[in-house]
Amino acid sequence: MSKGKGHIPIRTCICCGTKRGKKDLTRLAVTNGGVIVKDIREQRKGRGAYVCADKSCLMALKTGKRLNRAFRTENSLVYGQFE
């Protein structure tokens, strides 16, 4: 086996659709109370969604239904502090 850098996980931003390395995107997760928060340590259980750190992508989260689709819910979710 080769001794390269290894596998780099690729994730897709739910707003703009760009594919980047997992470390380049911010993971969002839902708490038990239905609040969406940044998962800085990437340790929260359950479904997560990834978003770019660009202001345009963060603003698109607040106006669109992307989070409801990403977290597979029809209810409007409560947005935590992203910025």
Side-chain angles (χ1 to χ4, degrees), residues 32-78:
N32 292 336
V35 178
I36 299 172
V37 295
K38 280 185 184 179
D39 188 10
I40 297 170
R41 295 183 188 166
E42 299 180 355
Q43 292 181 344
R44 287 194 178 269
K45 294 183 180 179
R47 177 169 292 280
Y50 289 86
V51 67
C52 296
D54 298 334
K55 291 263 184 188
S56 60
C57 286
L58 294 176
M59 294 303 289
L61 288 178
K62 295 180 181 179
T63 59
K65 295 182 180 180
R66 290 175 173 90
L67 289 174
N68 290 338
R69 182 176 40 203
F71 289 114
R72 296 182 181 174
T73 182
E74 293 181 15
N75 302 333
S76 57
L77 299 168
V78 178

